[in-house]
DNA sequence: GAAGATACCAAGCAAGCGCTTGGTTTGTAA
DNA sequence: TTACAAACCAAGCGCTTGCTTGGTATCTTC
């Protein structure tokens, strides 16, 4: 199943909003504004203007401003979990699965969903505690995918460090690419993936 | 020169505020509040209350709220650059220097200056562009330290990936520890340093 | 002990914020 | 055509925000 098919199936199940619909368009614009200006500095008037309606009309679609932030995060995690799952399933060896996970995460951070992923990293504290818990549960599914692969590699002795620690280091390292990586800068996402594998001492799997 | 002596020398040169003085105390409290609540959600009334004065009185010490954020960042970079420099100077081999840098950065992120370092990472966008430029210049000095060591290791063929990319990955990975590492969790900073070295395939230098 | 700087308070202003309200337009289905 | 809901507008309320103002203690220096 390719990326487009996965997205369509999620839309059909009402798990993510259709980007061409009103709600989907707003979430897209919101992700962009939240990343560029930060959640707090983005006003409901900014959000409304971005989709061409009055600020009050926003509250017909969402009850609060925070609900918009939460929706951005939830839908992004849902989509990326599905993409990750399919990337892992398609790979054979554990080293290949790791490579696929790294590649997929880099794609999600620096590709189409990049703005929303940046929001997920940098605007976390703007979520209320109850919303944080909710989002955390979704993240756990996502994280389980990684740990399974990393633990297998540890068992194979390909990995010298603790899988939990490695995953957390990778989370930081890959998230951070959003602050410096530019696809037009002579380094492709595939190159970057190889660099990460190489940095991890997995030269033999480049 | 030990850490305390470095701090004192910076204070003497007026590059860092004395933590026992009024300005230093405010910056310390500000770093904590900015990390916990974010810069935008922290009001000048919060800041004033934290040091026991009226909100208006803040503006006797700083002209704007943003100036407080900038001061937190600038002084933190100054201190940590000095600490890094001394850590590198004390090490012999390049692998040892790398280890010292990693250990020092983990210390700065998870130790005394941890709150301020978290602010540096997560509140970057709240700085005006002109302030960002100013802070960036200070960061360059700091980064040059890392690159020198990483480039030497690349030449020695101990490192398989590009030094620039590695440094950026490490920046992300180490910064991210602030979100999950707890010194009381059975893993010490030394353990963590070893895990990072191990993850980089530098098993032989553990 | 006078003088001047430094540190602070009490009060409040102007602007911007999230969100509400009452009413109008647009879409949908019988 | 009618009936009803969904989508939207225009206006603005109540509150919080960063910051200012005019005045008063407190410290320092000769």
């Amino acid at each position: 199943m390719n990326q487009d098919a996965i997205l369509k199936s999620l839309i059909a199940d009402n798990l993510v909003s259709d980007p061409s619909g009103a709600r989907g368009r707003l979430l897209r614009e919101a992700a962009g504004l939240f990343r560029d200006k930060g959640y707090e500095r983005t006003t409901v008037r900014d959000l409304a203007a971005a989709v061409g309606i009055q600020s009050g009309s926003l509250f017909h679609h969402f009850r609060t401003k925070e609900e918009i932030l939460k929706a951005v995060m939830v839908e992004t995690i849902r989509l990326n979990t599905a993409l990750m799952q399919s990337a892992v399933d398609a790979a054979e060896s554990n080293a290949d699965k790791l490579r696929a996970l790294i590649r997929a995460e880099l794609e999600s951070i620096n590709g189409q969903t990049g703005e929303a992923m940046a929001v997920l990293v940098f605007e976390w504290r703007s979520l209320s505690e109850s919303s944080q818990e909710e989002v955390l549960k979704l993240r756990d599914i996502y994280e389980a995918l990684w740990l399974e692969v990393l633990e297998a590699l540890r068992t194979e002795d390909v990995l010298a460090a603790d899988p939990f620690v490695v995953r957390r280091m990778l989370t930081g390292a890959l998230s951070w690419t959003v602050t410096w990586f530019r696809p037009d800068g002579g380094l492709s996402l595939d190159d970057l993936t190889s660099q990460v594998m190489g940095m991890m001492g997995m030269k033999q799997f480049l």
Side-chain angles (χ1 to χ4, degrees), chain A residues 192-203:
Chain A
L192 196 50
T193 307
S194 295
Q195 292 277 345
V196 176
M197 294 291 279
M199 181 182 137
M200 294 179 70
M202 300 179 77
K203 229 194 273 201

Side-chain angles (χ1 to χ4, degrees), chain A residues 170-187:
Chain A
L170 280 174
T171 303
L174 300 181
S175 300
W176 193 247
T177 58
V178 81
T179 67
W180 61 271
F181 178 74
R182 294 290 166 268
D184 53 331
L187 199 70

Side-chain angles (χ1 to χ4, degrees), chain A residues 96-197:
Chain A
D96 279 345
K97 283 181 197 287
L98 176 60
R99 172 180 250 292
L101 281 173
I102 291 172
R103 172 64 221 238
E105 191 154 298
L106 282 172
E107 178 78 44
S108 78
I109 289 167
N110 298 286
Q112 301 271 16
T113 62
E115 293 175 337
M117 287 294 284
V119 171
L120 206 41
V121 171
F122 288 104
E123 304 302 331
W124 182 250
R125 280 170 319 176
S126 294
L127 270 190
S128 68
E129 275 196 44
S130 62
S131 296
Q132 285 191 13
E133 279 178 43
E134 211 169 316
V135 177
L136 262 186
K137 275 182 197 156
L138 290 176
R139 270 252 254 240
D140 285 345
I141 309 170
Y142 185 99
E143 292 301 318
L145 275 172
W146 280 86
L147 283 177
E148 206 175 320
V149 173
L150 288 171
E151 266 154 16
L153 284 168
R154 180 82 190 90
T155 307
E156 289 174 15
D157 214 33
V158 176
L159 206 64
D162 178 69
F164 287 91
V165 175
V166 171
R167 170 51 188 154
R168 279 158 171 164
M169 293 288 172
L170 280 174
T171 303
L174 300 181
S175 300
W176 193 247
T177 58
V178 81
T179 67
W180 61 271
F181 178 74
R182 294 290 166 268
D184 53 331
L187 199 70
S188 71
L189 281 182
D190 281 324
D191 293 337
L192 196 50
T193 307
S194 295
Q195 292 277 345
V196 176
M197 294 291 279

Side-chain angles (χ1 to χ4, degrees), chain A residues 22-62:
Chain A
R23 184 187 156 98
R25 271 208 347 271
L26 173 65
L27 290 182
R28 230 185 107 79
E29 296 290 343
L33 284 167
F34 289 164
R35 189 199 56 175
D36 292 344
K37 314 180 34 166
Y39 171 76
E40 302 289 346
R41 290 174 106 93
T42 304
T43 70
V44 293
R45 288 165 179 83
D46 291 334
L47 293 168
V51 290
I53 59 174
Q54 292 297 106
S55 67
S57 306
L58 272 186
F59 297 90
H60 176 73
H61 300 279
F62 297 89

